[in-house]
Amino acid sequence: MMKELYKEIDDSKEFIIDLQANMTSRPAISPANGGEGELDKANYLEKVINNFGFDEVTKLNSQDERAKGGVRPNLIARYFGEDREKTFWLLTHLDIVPPGDLSLWKTKPYKLQIDADGDTMYGRGVEDNQQAITAALLAAKTLINSGKRPPINLGIMMIADEEVGEGYGLPYVLKNMPHLFGKEDSFLVQDSGDVKGCEIEIAEKSSLWYKITTTGKQAHSAYPTTGINAMVAGANLVVRLYNELPKKFNKQDALYDIPMSTFTPSKKENNVSNVNIVPGVDVFYLDCRLLPCYTEKELENEIKKIAKTVENDFKVQINVERILKISSVPTSRTSNLVKRYCAATREINNAEPKLIGCGGGTFAAGIRNLGLPAIVASRLYGVPHSPNEKSSIKFTMCDAKVILHTLMHFDEEDED
Ligand SMILES: [Zn+2]
């Protein structure tokens, strides 16, 4: 039976090109990035899937007056399985990032171009995240056309606002449609991956961002001793944090491609307007990616301890404020989702699966924190957000087959 489905997928080149061309010509850029949102793309996709024969199609608009139509649309479709209590969700996103410097593009970013090899497609969004939308819809269409019912439901979410993340997308859906999600649901996010299609991300580091404000005393630079230079103190703090934190939080975990926690001083706020002023206030930001074996409290205590040494040495006040926290519980290696996806990877991509962790900031964290298993994996070039973004028709077919293999074998016991 699977062979017939795979044959159908192999014959779907035109479907893939048509869908990609239509999505690429409807750029769904967030208002925060200067665009008009996802409405045109969502309306197009809604029309496409209305002919598929899904059992359930829901459109959930969150209100955003900056966007076209005043809404940020989320599109959700389900095809029921034998067991309607469980859903295998494909979590994709509608929005794209702007093309950036046009002179770096060899093609027009909003016009799909196919390479002479007949396989590589170019355009903004073709990989991130239209390959996933295409693979998901191809898998669903093929399955529904066959008339077969999967063991559990197949669900597809096409979500707004992933790239900027202002709350109009996944958080909005989770909050407003909690009845859609069951305790035994599983999630696949095809939003990152590798060309062999063997890497399966099951965990991510905690992302913790801090705003650090150092207050000294402003003065005229001709008389610097009458003030306290906040920038000098802040710069010392940057160096101390940068040197000391990796020594304190030094555990390693080979699951992650950078196997240790990282601590990166990044953004710096403007200070004084003129060269002849001793800055009285200094503000910089620290981006920490912490392995799950450490707690946020441990990190915060250490940052404050180091800040204290600078306060004492420079007679300044330092305020440490956490501005972002995304932590996530890893998905179990022995979950059905991971086991079934590994089997599909071996079968379809002919590759030995490799479980990995990443530096954080994916869609999957929000799901994992609900206690549900989520993995991030796809067979792709790995060129999101770059000029000449590309996607492979062949890889898209592989992703669609992996989806169907995982779904159709979902409730099976292990052979090994
Ligand atoms: Zn993406």
Side-chain angles (χ1 to χ4, degrees):
M1 180 197 77
M2 295 308 290
K3 279 217 175 69
E4 292 157 32
L5 296 177
Y6 297 157
K7 165 88 176 46
E8 195 61 38
I9 287 173
D10 286 330
D11 290 339
S12 298
K13 190 170 171 178
E14 292 310 315
F15 172 82
I16 294 172
I17 293 171
D18 185 56
L19 200 63
Q20 280 278 19
N22 273 292
M23 287 194 283
T24 305
S25 67
R26 293 168 172 84
I29 296 174
S30 290
N33 277 337
E36 56 182 32
E38 300 86 356
L39 188 65
D40 286 351
K41 193 171 181 176
N43 284 346
Y44 161 72
L45 287 167
E46 191 183 15
K47 232 180 248 156
V48 170
I49 64 174
N50 273 337
N51 300 321
F52 275 25
F54 279 110
D55 295 303
E56 201 179 78
V57 176
T58 314
K59 199 173 178 193
L60 183 66
N61 289 328
S62 52
Q63 307 303 311
D64 181 355
E65 58 186 24
R66 302 168 304 169
K68 186 169 179 179
V71 294
R72 309 294 298 277
N74 297 285
L75 206 52
I76 303 156
R78 278 206 292 182
Y79 180 57
F80 293 138
E82 317 253 344
D83 177 356
R84 292 195 185 187
E85 299 299 305
K86 285 190 221 170
T87 303
F88 174 45
W89 288 103
L90 310 174
L91 183 48
T92 69
H93 65 87
L94 295 164
D95 57 322
I96 59 167
V97 294
D101 185 350
L102 290 177
S103 70
L104 299 173
W105 284 78
K106 288 185 226 129
T107 65
K108 291 199 178 86
Y110 301 138
K111 189 171 185 318
L112 189 79
Q113 179 109 4
I114 298 163
D115 198 84
D117 66 6
D119 183 73
T120 314
M121 300 172 286
Y122 291 94
R124 173 53 88 226
V126 291
E127 177 178 282
D128 183 13
N129 191 233
Q130 291 168 198
Q131 181 173 323
I133 295 174
T134 308
L137 295 187
L138 177 55
K141 180 172 91 89
T142 306
L143 179 62
I144 297 171
N145 280 346
S146 78
K148 306 259 180 345
R149 287 283 169 182
I152 62 171
N153 305 328
L154 174 64
I156 299 177
M157 277 193 265
M158 291 169 268
I159 295 291
D161 185 34
E162 188 269 350
E163 299 290 0
V164 180
E166 295 177 298
Y168 300 105
L170 184 62
Y172 188 82
V173 173
L174 292 175
K175 194 169 157 228
N176 288 281
M177 306 198 81
H179 58 277
L180 271 184
F181 306 101
K183 280 198 220 54
E184 292 183 85
D185 287 4
S186 301
F187 293 77
L188 168 62
V189 184
Q190 290 186 318
D191 200 14
S192 177
D194 63 301
V195 286
K196 287 189 194 154
C198 66
E199 291 177 359
I200 304 169
E201 188 224 291
I202 59 165
E204 64 184 72
K205 295 174 188 170
S206 299
S207 300
L208 295 155
W209 295 359
Y210 295 95
K211 176 183 183 183
I212 300 177
T213 307
T214 304
T215 308
K217 190 175 164 224
Q218 188 172 310
H220 195 294
S221 310
Y223 309 96
T225 50
T226 62
I228 299 174
N229 193 323
M231 188 176 84
V232 171
N236 268 273
L237 181 56
V238 166
V239 174
R240 289 183 197 185
L241 292 170
Y242 187 72
N243 288 336
E244 298 306 317
L245 290 175
K247 286 185 204 154
K248 172 85 183 178
F249 300 94
N250 60 0
K251 280 188 199 150
Q252 303 214 356
D253 184 341
L255 186 66
Y256 299 86
D257 55 353
I258 297 177
M260 61 281 273
S261 306
T262 60
F263 309 93
T264 309
S266 53
K267 183 172 152 178
K268 179 91 177 65
E269 278 184 13
N270 287 341
N271 55 9
V272 291
S273 57
N274 223 359
V275 180
N276 64 2
I277 303 171
V278 173
V281 179
D282 178 86
V283 181
F284 72 92
Y285 294 79
L286 184 69
D287 179 343
C288 306
R289 306 296 167 118
L290 202 59
L291 288 179
C293 61
Y294 295 113
T295 66
E296 184 215 348
K297 195 83 210 129
E298 289 172 276
L299 174 62
E300 210 160 305
N301 286 344
E302 193 62 23
I303 291 173
K304 285 183 174 158
K305 205 171 106 190
I306 295 168
K308 195 95 211 142
T309 65
V310 174
E311 282 184 331
N312 291 338
D313 292 352
F314 292 85
K315 309 296 172 234
V316 291
Q317 277 87 49
I318 295 171
N319 182 54
V320 178
E321 181 195 353
R322 194 197 69 218
I323 55 164
L324 176 113
K325 176 190 176 181
I326 304 171
S327 49
S328 95
V329 192
T331 290
S332 164
R333 294 162 183 269
T334 57
S335 62
N336 217 26
L337 172 67
V338 172
K339 286 196 285 192
R340 296 279 72 88
Y341 199 88
C342 283
T345 299
R346 287 190 191 98
E347 178 75 22
I348 304 298
N349 290 333
N350 211 357
E352 191 46 34
K354 190 179 160 216
L355 302 182
I356 60 164
C358 79
T362 78
F363 240 9
I367 301 292
R368 292 192 188 116
N369 285 342
L370 298 173
L372 298 169
I375 55 174
V376 183
S378 174
R379 186 165 188 179
L380 43 68
Y381 286 117
V383 288
H385 302 201
S386 59
N388 305 305
E389 181 176 345
K390 59 181 177 174
S391 169
S392 152
I393 293 172
K394 210 180 87 206
F395 291 173
T396 308
M397 291 172 175
C398 292
D399 278 355
K401 291 178 195 173
V402 167
I403 289 169
L404 285 185
H405 192 285
T406 305
L407 174 69
M408 298 309 273
H409 297 85
F410 210 90
D411 272 345
E412 281 173 18
E413 292 301 314
D414 280 337
E415 296 117 45
D416 44 26

